[in-house]
């Protein structure tokens, strides 16, 4: 059984530095239109390397054979006085206008790219919907657990010593503070979901099966956790 040997992809041969300048000059003369350095590299199919192109374009511009437009995004084209069949003044003005337009478009696209990149970084730093859902469920379970403990403390009629009472009050304050903090965090997360989805708060709570303190008649008072009369019955 015969196997065919796969041919290696041929890479274009790089020309010598001494030849690169003439190749680029001939190309710009023949095309007689503006290009940036990367376009010249691509259109010459890599025959002239990036370092060569930049070196050649700088040399040609210093010799007055090539015109450069732009600062950050440079555009190059053949000096019209050197082109066979000299162009009219109107043609030169059209070319300058084209260079100005392309430079402005490039700057606009670069700015848009930076803005999109900043936006992507901001989104990546936020919690995913799955992470927020898991955190909300954990906080709700923690709130329920704390509520049960606080209810037990508020209805406890067993006589206790002053030391035990003080210890219980301190523990209550810690739990109440934790409840308040986690409740606020839970609301912030739900608010973040609402901001990114545009859904109504009620719809998000129903979709994620979120039970709030308010929906269960629990009110976080100044001194104790108060439960509505409806829930006490």
């Amino acid at each position: 059984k015969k196997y065919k040997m796969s041919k290696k992809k041929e890479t274009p041969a790089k020309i010598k530095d001494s030849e690169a300048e003439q190749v680029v000059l001939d190309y710009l003369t023949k095309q007689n239109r503006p290009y940036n350095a990367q376009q010249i590299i691509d259109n010459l199919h890599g025959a002239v390397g990036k370092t060569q192109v930049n070196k050649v374009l700088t040399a040609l511009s210093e010799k007055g054979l090539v015109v450069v437009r732009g600062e950050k995004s440079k555009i190059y084209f053949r000096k019209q006085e050197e082109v066979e069949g000299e162009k009219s003044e109107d043609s030169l003005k059209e070319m300058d206008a084209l260079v100005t337009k392309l430079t402005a478009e490039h700057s606009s696209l670069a700015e848009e790219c930076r803005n999109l990149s900043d936006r992507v970084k901001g989104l990546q730093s936020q919690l995913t919907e799955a992470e927020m859902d898991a955190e909300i469920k954990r906080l709700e379970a923690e709130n329920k657990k704390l509520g049960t403990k606080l209810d037990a403390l508020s209805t406890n009629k067993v006589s206790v010593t002053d030391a035990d009472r003080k210890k219980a009050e301190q523990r209550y304050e810690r739990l109440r503070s934790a409840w308040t903090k986690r409740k606020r965090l839970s609301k912030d997360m739900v608010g973040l979901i609402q901001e990114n989805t545009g859904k109504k708060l009620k719809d998000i709570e129903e979709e994620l099966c979120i039970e709030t303190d308010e929906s269960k008649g629990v009110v976080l008072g100044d001194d104790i956790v108060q439960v509505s009369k409806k829930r006490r019955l």
Side-chain angles (χ1 to χ4, degrees):
K1 190 175 181 178
K2 296 181 178 180
Y3 295 91
K4 293 183 178 180
M5 298 294 290
S6 59
K7 294 182 179 180
K8 293 184 178 179
K9 187 176 179 181
E10 296 182 358
T11 56
K14 302 290 184 181
I15 63 177
K16 297 179 181 179
D17 290 344
S18 58
E19 302 173 356
E21 184 172 319
Q22 190 61 46
V23 170
V24 173
L25 183 62
D26 290 344
Y27 176 75
L28 291 176
T29 302
K30 182 179 179 180
Q31 300 300 322
N32 196 31
R33 57 166 295 176
Y35 293 102
N36 61 32
Q38 187 59 51
Q39 289 174 323
I40 295 174
I41 294 172
D42 295 339
N43 294 342
L44 292 176
H45 306 292
V48 181
K50 184 175 181 180
T51 303
Q52 285 180 317
V53 165
N54 291 327
K55 186 188 300 182
V56 165
L57 290 172
T58 299
L60 291 174
S61 64
E62 290 176 351
K63 293 178 181 180
L65 299 174
V66 169
V67 180
V68 185
R69 291 287 187 273
E71 296 181 1
K72 293 184 178 179
S73 304
K74 294 183 179 180
I75 302 295
Y76 304 87
F77 58 90
R78 190 73 163 86
K79 188 175 182 180
Q80 295 305 295
E81 288 81 352
E82 304 295 334
V83 179
E84 185 178 356
E86 186 175 343
K87 299 292 181 180
S88 66
E89 185 67 23
D90 290 339
S91 178
L92 292 176
K93 289 181 179 180
E94 289 178 2
M95 185 171 289
D96 279 339
L98 178 59
V99 170
T100 301
K101 178 183 177 183
L102 291 175
T103 302
E105 289 179 354
H106 181 275
S107 299
S108 177
L109 290 173
E111 180 65 23
E112 183 178 352
C113 183
R114 285 192 295 270
N115 292 336
L116 290 174
S117 178
D118 292 340
R119 184 176 179 185
V120 168
K121 290 179 181 178
L123 291 174
Q124 289 176 340
S125 65
Q126 298 178 357
L127 294 176
T128 64
E129 290 188 13
E131 290 172 338
M132 286 188 287
D133 184 41
E135 183 66 10
I136 289 171
K137 289 181 179 179
R138 187 186 69 79
L139 291 173
E140 289 294 335
E142 186 73 13
N143 284 343
K144 185 177 181 180
K145 181 179 179 181
L146 292 173
T148 301
K149 291 182 177 179
L150 290 171
D151 285 341
L153 288 172
S154 63
T155 56
N156 186 7
K157 297 181 179 180
V158 179
S159 298
V160 293
T161 63
D162 291 339
D164 288 338
R165 184 180 295 106
K166 184 177 181 180
K167 183 178 179 180
E169 289 174 351
Q170 291 175 344
R171 187 170 188 274
Y172 164 73
E173 288 300 329
R174 290 198 305 272
L175 294 175
R176 184 178 182 278
S177 177
W179 184 2
T180 304
K181 182 178 179 180
R182 293 179 186 274
K183 180 181 177 71
R184 183 170 59 254
L185 178 60
S186 178
K187 286 185 176 181
D188 289 344
M189 288 186 176
V190 174
L192 183 60
I193 295 175
Q194 183 182 20
E195 180 180 344
N196 284 276
T197 61
K199 296 181 179 180
K200 294 181 178 179
L201 184 59
K202 183 178 180 181
D203 294 337
I204 295 175
E205 291 176 348
E206 291 179 355
E207 183 177 341
L208 299 179
C209 300
I210 297 174
E211 294 181 349
T212 64
D213 295 334
E214 291 76 12
S215 67
K216 294 300 180 179
V218 177
V219 180
L220 192 61
D222 294 333
D223 298 320
I224 61 171
V225 176
Q226 301 172 351
V227 182
S228 65
K229 294 181 179 180
K230 182 178 179 180
R231 188 178 176 189
R232 292 180 180 179
L233 295 176

